[in-house]
């Protein structure tokens, strides 16, 4: 079954940094838009960031702009989320998601809407606390 695997989560102090990685199992991320979502207990799932199949365009939630950076290395078949200046409110389970979207001419961008993504990972826990 097509799925994603996240790694890199952990416990970090406020102001610290973490780098999350997303790697597919059973397929390549080529031609896929990839996004990061997060969900804290008792709260709705939130779109964090997404990146186009070639890495030429990115989107960020307002809450993480200037602090998080999404990137991809298609040669390594990996998407990253660099998280800097972490805050306690960033504490959540972070999920990687992907959907087939090979070009900007394919259709509307999936964006930060979870219903537009087909493949998901199991999540990695990020805890920001002193």
């Amino acid at each position: 079954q097509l799925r994603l695997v996240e790694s890199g989560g952990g416990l970090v102090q406020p102001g610290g940094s973490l780098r999350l990685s997303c790697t597919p199992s059973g397929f390549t991320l080529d031609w896929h838009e990839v996004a990061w979502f997060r969900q804290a207990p008792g709260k709705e799932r939130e779109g964090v960031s997404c990146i186009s199949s070639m890495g030429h365009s990115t989107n960020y939630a307002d809450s993480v702009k200037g602090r998080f950076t999404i990137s991809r290395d298609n040669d390594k078949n990996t998407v990253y989320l660099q998280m800097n200046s972490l805050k306690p409110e960033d504490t959540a389970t972070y999920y990687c998601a992907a959907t087939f979207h090979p070009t900007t001419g394919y259709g509307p961008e999936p964006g930060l809407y979870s219903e537009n993504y087909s493949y998901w990972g199991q999540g990695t826990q990020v805890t920001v606390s002193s």
Side-chain angles (χ1 to χ4, degrees):
Q1 184 175 354
L2 303 181
R3 62 192 303 173
L4 304 171
V5 179
E6 306 95 338
S7 63
L11 175 64
V12 65
Q13 295 181 353
S17 298
L18 285 173
R19 188 194 194 194
L20 306 183
S21 298
C22 173
T23 303
S25 177
F27 69 105
T28 176
L29 288 178
D30 291 348
W31 302 347
H32 289 74
E33 179 136 345
V34 179
W36 289 94
F37 296 85
R38 66 186 182 186
Q39 187 167 22
K43 296 185 178 180
E44 296 183 356
R45 184 164 50 198
E46 175 190 20
V48 177
S49 183
C50 61
I51 187 167
S52 63
S53 61
M54 297 300 295
H56 296 318
S57 64
T58 58
N59 288 317
Y60 296 92
D62 289 341
S63 59
V64 306
K65 286 181 179 177
R67 300 188 297 120
F68 291 11
T69 303
I70 191 170
S71 63
R72 67 190 300 158
D73 187 339
N74 285 349
D75 290 337
K76 296 182 178 179
N77 204 20
T78 302
V79 171
Y80 305 97
L81 184 67
Q82 179 67 46
M83 305 185 296
N84 299 326
S85 302
L86 283 163
K87 304 175 181 179
E89 49 263 46
D90 295 318
T91 296
T93 301
Y94 283 71
Y95 299 91
C96 182
T99 192
F100 184 72
H101 198 86
T103 176
T104 55
Y106 185 76
E109 292 291 329
L112 298 176
Y113 303 98
S114 60
E115 63 267 25
N116 291 334
Y117 290 84
S118 301
Y119 314 115
W120 291 80
Q122 64 181 6
T124 185
Q125 179 65 39
V126 172
T127 302
V128 185
S129 176
S130 59

